[in-house]
Amino acid sequence: MENQNQSKNYHNPFQLKFSFGLVMMAMIIVSVMTLYAFTDKKTVSEKENRTLSKAPQLSVRNWFNGGFTSQLNSFLNDHVMNRDGMIKTATKFEGMMKKEQEMQITIADSDRKDIGSDALILSDRIIALCISNEDYVRDIIKYSNELYHMMPQGVNKYMMLSPTRIEFETDYCKQYTDSQADLISIIYSAVSDEVKKIDAYSPVDMACDTYGINKIYFRTDHHWTHFGASFGANALLAEFGKNLVNPESFEEIITGEFLGYLAVMHDNEIGDIPPDTYSYYDYGTDVYEDAYGVEGADITEGIHELLVDSSRAGYYTFVERSYQYVVVEGGNKGGGVLMMVNDSYGNALVPWIAKQFDKIIMIDPRVFNGGKQKVLELVEEYKVDSFMINLAGLVVGSSFGGEMKRMCE
Amino acid sequence: MVFSSVIFMGIFLPVSLILYFLAKERKTRNLILLLVSLVFYAWGEPLWIVAILLLTYVDFVFAKKVSVMSDNAGRKKFLAVIVAVNLSVLFVVKYFDFFVSSMNSITGAHLPLLHIRMPIGISFFTFQALTYVVDVYRKDANVQESYANLLLYIAMFPQLIAGPIVRYSDIDRQIQNRDENMQGFVNGMFRFSIGLGKKVVFANYAGNIATSLLTNNFDGISTKAIWVGIIMFTLQLYFDFSGYSDMAIGLGKVFGFDYKENFNYPYMANSIADFWRRWHISLGSFFKDYVYIPLGGNRKHQYFNTLAVWMLTGLWHGASWNFVMWGLFFAGMLVLERNLKKKAGIDVSKIPVTGNLLVMIIITYSMSLFYFTDIHQLLVALRTLLGIGSTISMSLAEKTIVYKYVWSMPFMVIACTPLPANIGKRIFKQDTFLGNIARSLGFCVLYILCFILIINQTYNPFLYFRF
């Protein structure tokens, strides 16, 4: 029989008392930590960013419906002594049980996945995985084609899908992800032949080899850096027959350190990961002073404000994304008008290309609710001559295609 | 209340121990143990505590009557009434809706359901009450003269809600006359911490993996992944339930009670029959002594008796068709095993390693009957496990889950064997100074570690609570 205990032998009372004392000590420690909850005045956990449970009020109803006991359990859980320290210890212990060498793989349990919820967590970086979903890929192809077909005669059509960091990581990391090269190729071949497909993959691949992956992509975020975005921008400018930009000819401004979106999203799973250094290039912000945000937002501010927005804590790379659409006045009157359906990769890219266009109309399908009619109105109003869908490869694992659907209805 | 909760570890247990050991007299100690047990149950089931009090009172009165009756036929009838009363309560709260909804779906009728939320531990305490009345009827135990003592036997908090099913005849004398001592306290608390560790560290961990694969990623699951998921569930079930039994036995020891073992390394079994001698021993022996043998045992209608017992065993675990299938599966396996031995001369238990492996594959396969309560999902799982109509290789998402966790599986498998206990026993001899120090330090580490882990875990009740 397992763990049989015999308890008849207590020859040496002192020795037994010592053992008994140890047992009691552990129980007293746990009791004190628990009872401390009744003196704890904290109402908010800053670490978990939530309100802590309050002590329940005992009533007949509360007792018989079980509310009192469950609320008291929650209250004690939330207010035990040194709770943050215990959670840190527990997380470390659980991490020890989970870790495969120096790497953790986090796969979101639900079907509803945000970009970055599936990730590889290493000691120095977090990488968003690209796990494709057949339905999502089909949606992206279907609604991209619908959008292209919606465009009036004479509008040039482009598509640019940009690879993300995992694509250029080590083979060991890449075994957990789908190949974005393959997925981009599948989507490109399924999209209408009249659409010009821009190869952002090759220049970014080359840039990773030349400058190192950490110069092209953030370590704690799923985006490319301001510098990395310039390679995508040049791929686009080359296709449009415009002048390429050389970021190294501008001054690099280092603004400090930040922990990116992936670090915040996986806060409980990461250890002491070194923060990213944020830098951007002073390519002459005064050129873009006439940028307008329209519809659903009352913004009329310069590109500098759009880019260097302190409220976005370090995300200076991007043109603001939370508007239905943004019209960037590039000032190059003969440069043409580009309408772009894009995600945050496009937001990072636009500042590099803006001054070579007359206008760029950026539509974010995640917040745009105007539908087909509004899209066509914008095309007519701004005399759009080029239309581009510009997304990151990661969208094959998200419902972005479904959001594009709203633009076709 | 759950053993693996902050309130139990930080308040209920220490307060109960202090109150109990401050009292000097047996009567007072029993009264304190009874009161804290009632608080323990009322904490989770504030209404159903009344049912325990009433049911116990009915059993108390009826058993007293039976004990003084001399007419055998009358005693039998009386016993039948008491058993019917106990089982009818169980039937109404646990099985009524199951039978009515099954009838509705077969006949197309729309008979109303009761929708009563099943109180936790009802199967356990009903069976304990039954052992009392039957033991008294059989004169295997003396009738209990004190209602409080009978209530203490049925409602004692260490084993109230998830067993082991303690027979009245086993602890009849201990209620009045038992020996609480420091050695028992240290050993009991250590045993409690082992059970707590099994639950909080291993069972919850294995359960997360099983849920990730078998629930969250079930659609289109591959054969390899479903096997990993089912193996993890098999491990979870063992650590969860045997952990609870360890805690119950350990706490019993602290209060001076000697409960019988409920598990004996079941995954080391070399035959299906052997498995059931090692798994949930108290339930197996209950059905053997109170159902199988009275029905005729091996002497007559053996196959029918086997079928009946295993149908009931399945139903005891839950009012659902998957549990009935699970019971019938084991009835079939036991009959097959017996006939292979008798008629073909093949004794699985005599085949070293392979026999054990084969048994474990069958047991693991059968766990899918236990896991999936939805019949459609169950059928998909059963064929996927056999590689029929599914992909064999794991998808990327499955790989990421499996590779993340699977390395800990060998440690869990080793923890299911007698190896850790044997090593511990060799190094730290039982009841020696070094042994006691090791046990008490082991308790300190496990108790505090589990407390820390519980803070970070969401509510994780024991699996067997639902029975």
Side-chain angles (χ1 to χ4, degrees):
Chain A
M1 291 292 168
E2 50 192 296
N3 295 313
Q4 290 253 13
N5 293 314
Q6 287 122 38
S7 56
K8 303 295 173 205
N9 177 8
Y10 43 109
H11 299 300
N12 190 330
F14 171 75
Q15 291 176 356
L16 258 180
K17 275 182 188 164
F18 187 74
S19 296
F20 175 80
L22 279 174
V23 171
M24 290 311 294
M25 189 186 70
M27 292 186 74
I28 289 167
I29 289 171
V30 167
S31 288
V32 169
M33 292 178 98
T34 307
L35 292 172
Y36 171 84
F38 295 103
T39 65
D40 187 35
K41 301 276 183 264
K42 269 174 82 173
T43 54
V44 172
S45 165
E46 283 159 17
K47 193 172 166 56
E48 294 164 89
N49 195 23
R50 70 176 178 91
T51 309
L52 299 171
S53 308
K54 289 179 185 161
Q57 298 292 317
L58 182 59
S59 66
V60 175
R61 191 171 168 215
N62 207 9
W63 172 257
F64 280 105
N65 66 17
F68 177 78
T69 55
S70 65
Q71 283 165 32
L72 187 61
N73 281 338
S74 306
F75 170 75
L76 291 175
N77 252 327
D78 276 1
H79 294 270
V80 290
M81 188 186 282
N82 189 28
R83 182 171 183 275
D84 285 349
M86 285 204 282
I87 285 182
K88 200 173 173 185
T89 310
T91 308
K92 272 195 178 164
F93 182 83
E94 283 164 3
M96 275 161 53
M97 292 186 76
K98 280 183 207 164
K99 265 182 191 168
E100 186 181 317
Q101 294 164 9
E102 287 188 338
M103 187 168 76
Q104 295 178 60
I105 308 151
T106 298
I107 298 293
D109 286 337
S110 66
D111 290 338
R112 166 81 180 84
K113 292 183 179 184
D114 294 320
I115 284 178
S117 54
D118 300 331
L120 280 182
I121 300 169
L122 293 100
S123 57
D124 64 339
R125 61 197 189 279
I126 312 168
I127 313 160
L129 291 173
C130 175
I131 297 179
S132 62
N133 174 307
E134 210 175 300
D135 292 337
Y136 291 161
V137 173
R138 201 177 297 125
D139 279 354
I140 286 169
I141 294 167
K142 183 179 175 190
Y143 298 113
S144 293
N145 278 330
E146 282 196 24
L147 281 168
Y148 287 127
H149 292 146
M150 193 199 294
M151 288 299 126
Q153 284 283 336
V155 173
N156 297 312
K157 296 153 192 173
Y158 301 87
M159 180 175 233
M160 184 166 128
L161 299 179
S162 309
T164 63
R165 177 172 185 132
I166 186 68
E167 194 64 12
F168 307 111
E169 276 287 348
T170 60
D171 287 344
Y172 187 66
C173 294
K174 282 169 70 176
Q175 67 180 308
Y176 299 103
T177 193
D178 288 345
S179 160
Q180 290 179 54
D182 291 347
L183 287 161
I184 290 171
S185 165
I186 288 168
I187 295 172
Y188 275 7
S189 61
V191 164
S192 170
D193 287 342
E194 58 178 345
V195 177
K196 290 172 188 156
K197 286 91 182 186
I198 299 172
D199 175 21
Y201 193 99
S202 308
V204 173
D205 188 9
M206 212 181 293
C208 285
D209 287 343
T210 310
Y211 299 97
I213 194 168
N214 289 336
K215 182 85 177 158
I216 306 301
Y217 292 101
F218 290 115
R219 287 180 297 97
T220 64
D221 196 88
H222 59 299
H223 294 106
W224 51 15
T225 61
H226 202 196
F227 184 74
S230 71
F231 294 92
N234 277 336
L236 185 153
L237 291 171
E239 184 63 43
F240 276 77
K242 294 182 183 291
N243 298 329
L244 305 190
V245 292
N246 178 12
E248 287 171 303
S249 64
F250 301 110
E251 186 192 353
E252 183 184 10
I253 299 162
I254 298 171
T255 60
E257 294 181 331
F258 82 110
L259 282 171
Y261 173 78
L262 294 174
V264 174
M265 183 181 234
H266 299 284
D267 182 36
N268 284 333
E269 295 150 280
I270 57 170
D272 296 324
I273 203 160
D276 267 304
T277 303
Y278 182 74
S279 70
Y280 71 98
Y281 290 82
D282 184 8
Y283 44 79
T285 49
D286 56 322
V287 174
Y288 311 111
E289 276 182 10
D290 295 328
Y292 298 95
V294 197
E295 181 91 3
D298 183 20
I299 59 159
T300 305
E301 52 190 347
I303 192 78
H304 183 77
E305 280 71 36
L306 284 172
L307 282 171
V308 187
D309 177 355
S310 59
S311 69
R312 281 180 284 135
Y315 276 151
Y316 304 138
T317 307
F318 313 116
V319 170
E320 179 59 73
R321 54 152 270 190
S322 53
Y323 300 108
Q324 292 199 44
Y325 64 97
V326 172
V327 180
V328 176
E329 297 265 358
N332 182 0
K333 292 297 170 197
V337 178
L338 169 66
M339 175 179 272
M340 216 162 81
V341 172
N342 64 282
D343 59 9
S344 50
Y345 268 64
N347 289 342
L349 176 145
V350 162
W352 288 115
I353 63 169
K355 74 174 180 180
Q356 299 205 44
F357 286 87
D358 180 9
K359 288 186 183 69
I360 300 176
I361 297 110
M362 301 162 66
I363 300 180
D364 188 333
R366 289 167 292 193
V367 281
F368 185 80
N369 62 10
K372 181 179 176 180
Q373 190 61 34
K374 183 68 188 174
V375 173
L376 291 175
E377 275 174 29
L378 287 172
V379 170
E380 196 181 330
E381 182 185 348
Y382 289 100
K383 299 187 173 41
V384 168
D385 52 40
S386 301
F387 175 76
M388 180 162 81
I389 294 174
N390 182 0
L391 306 170
L394 281 181
V395 292
V396 293
S398 79
S399 54
F400 205 89
E403 280 148 356
M404 285 163 69
K405 183 184 174 189
R406 287 202 303 268
M407 296 179 66
C408 308
E409 292 170 342
Chain B
M1 198 180 296
V2 185
F3 287 164
S4 53
S5 66
V6 172
I7 193 147
F8 181 84
M9 294 173 71
I11 298 176
F12 182 86
L13 184 60
V15 169
S16 302
L17 289 173
I18 289 167
L19 290 175
Y20 184 84
F21 286 106
L22 277 180
K24 296 288 174 216
E25 289 183 14
R26 169 68 48 229
K27 212 174 172 181
T28 324
R29 283 189 171 186
N30 280 353
L31 185 66
I32 288 167
L33 193 52
L34 173 61
L35 290 175
V36 296
S37 295
L38 294 177
V39 170
F40 178 85
Y41 193 73
W43 196 259
E45 298 288 356
L47 279 173
W48 280 94
I49 189 72
V50 181
I52 292 191
L53 296 173
L54 286 176
L55 208 62
T56 308
Y57 187 73
V58 170
D59 290 333
F60 173 70
V61 173
F62 275 52
K64 253 184 152 181
K65 265 256 191 294
V66 163
S67 71
V68 293
M69 285 172 80
S70 52
D71 165 32
N72 262 347
R75 291 177 81 237
K76 222 172 212 174
K77 278 181 193 162
F78 218 77
L79 175 73
V81 173
I82 309 176
V83 171
V85 169
N86 280 280
L87 290 181
S88 60
V89 174
L90 185 64
F91 178 82
V92 169
V93 297
K94 189 169 176 177
Y95 300 107
F96 183 84
D97 282 2
F98 167 62
F99 280 108
V100 171
S101 55
S102 298
M103 288 275 285
N104 283 348
S105 46
I106 292 166
T107 61
H110 293 91
L111 299 172
L113 304 178
L114 294 177
H115 297 296
I116 298 174
R117 191 181 62 80
M118 193 180 85
I120 54 174
I122 187 164
S123 305
F124 285 96
F125 65 72
T126 305
F127 275 31
Q128 290 219 158
L130 281 176
T131 76
Y132 169 67
V133 289
V134 176
D135 285 354
V136 169
Y137 166 80
R138 289 174 173 174
K139 299 186 176 159
D140 288 341
N142 296 324
V143 71
Q144 179 53 257
E145 296 295 338
S146 153
Y147 169 63
N149 282 348
L150 182 63
L151 192 58
L152 176 62
Y153 154 68
I154 288 172
M156 208 184 314
F157 81 86
Q159 40 73 30
L160 171 61
I161 45 185
I165 299 164
V166 179
R167 292 192 194 184
Y168 180 71
S169 54
D170 289 338
I171 62 158
D172 175 15
R173 287 200 190 91
Q174 293 176 34
I175 291 173
Q176 285 301 347
N177 183 21
R178 59 184 185 271
D179 178 26
E180 303 100 325
N181 57 61
M182 233 180 259
Q183 185 66 68
F185 184 89
V186 172
N187 288 350
M189 290 309 285
F190 177 64
R191 182 77 184 265
F192 175 82
S193 67
I194 294 282
L196 192 64
K198 277 184 180 177
K199 163 68 183 164
V200 176
V201 180
F202 284 151
N204 289 355
Y205 181 74
N208 286 340
I209 307 166
T211 308
S212 282
L213 288 168
L214 302 179
T215 301
N216 301 332
N217 287 281
F218 183 72
D219 290 340
I221 193 167
S222 69
T223 300
K224 279 184 185 171
I226 200 169
W227 272 104
V228 175
I230 286 290
I231 290 170
M232 281 299 178
F233 177 65
T234 307
L235 290 167
Q236 180 198 7
L237 200 62
Y238 170 69
F239 288 123
D240 194 283
F241 193 22
S242 78
Y244 190 92
S245 292
D246 284 335
M247 286 187 256
I249 292 168
L251 286 174
K253 177 72 69 189
V254 168
F255 293 113
F257 290 95
D258 277 318
Y259 295 152
K260 287 188 173 167
E261 294 294 334
N262 209 20
F263 287 86
N264 182 22
Y265 306 108
Y267 296 156
M268 300 296 288
N270 53 19
S271 68
I272 301 293
D274 186 32
F275 173 79
W276 281 104
R277 283 192 291 270
R278 293 161 173 264
W279 176 277
H280 202 173
I281 298 166
S282 61
L283 181 73
S285 64
F286 176 91
F287 275 116
K288 186 181 145 207
D289 293 345
Y290 294 92
V291 182
Y292 187 70
I293 292 174
L295 282 174
N298 294 343
R299 287 174 287 109
K300 55 178 182 179
H301 319 305
Q302 192 185 357
Y303 291 134
F304 171 79
N305 299 344
T306 306
L307 199 70
V309 162
W310 285 98
M311 273 269 288
L312 290 174
T313 305
L315 275 173
W316 182 88
H317 281 89
S320 172
W321 285 111
N322 66 303
F323 290 115
V324 176
M325 287 165 72
W326 181 74
L328 293 177
F329 175 84
F330 276 106
M333 293 311 295
L334 286 165
V335 168
L336 180 71
E337 196 173 81
R338 211 177 292 157
N339 283 321
L340 274 176
K341 194 176 170 183
K342 253 187 183 173
K343 294 178 181 165
I346 301 168
D347 186 351
V348 181
S349 65
K350 293 276 160 40
I351 314 168
V353 185
T354 319
N356 181 275
L357 208 63
L358 185 67
V359 168
M360 271 322 296
I361 290 170
I362 293 169
I363 298 293
T364 309
Y365 186 77
S366 76
M367 288 300 176
S368 55
L369 293 164
F370 210 97
Y371 186 86
F372 296 101
T373 48
D374 178 275
I375 294 295
H376 172 70
Q377 279 194 338
L378 174 61
L379 294 175
V380 172
L382 289 173
R383 70 171 163 72
T384 306
L385 281 163
L386 297 174
I388 302 166
S390 63
T391 50
I392 305 295
S393 303
M394 286 187 282
S395 69
L396 187 73
E398 290 166 353
K399 272 185 199 168
T400 54
I401 297 167
V402 171
Y403 293 166
K404 180 177 179 181
Y405 295 107
V406 83
W407 69 274
S408 60
M409 200 192 279
F411 296 98
M412 294 197 204
V413 171
I414 290 169
C416 293
T417 70
L419 193 69
N422 288 344
I423 292 172
K425 275 180 199 163
R426 285 207 175 175
I427 299 173
F428 308 109
K429 297 262 185 299
Q430 193 80 290
D431 302 349
T432 59
F433 178 58
L434 207 60
N436 281 331
I437 292 290
R439 267 190 292 281
S440 45
L441 283 175
F443 169 83
C444 293
V445 171
L446 279 172
Y447 199 71
I448 292 173
L449 174 70
C450 289
F451 183 75
I452 290 170
L453 291 176
I454 285 165
I455 299 291
N456 200 36
Q457 288 174 356
T458 46
Y459 179 67
N460 267 308
F462 291 86
L463 288 178
Y464 264 67
F465 271 25
R466 66 185 184 207
F467 308 133

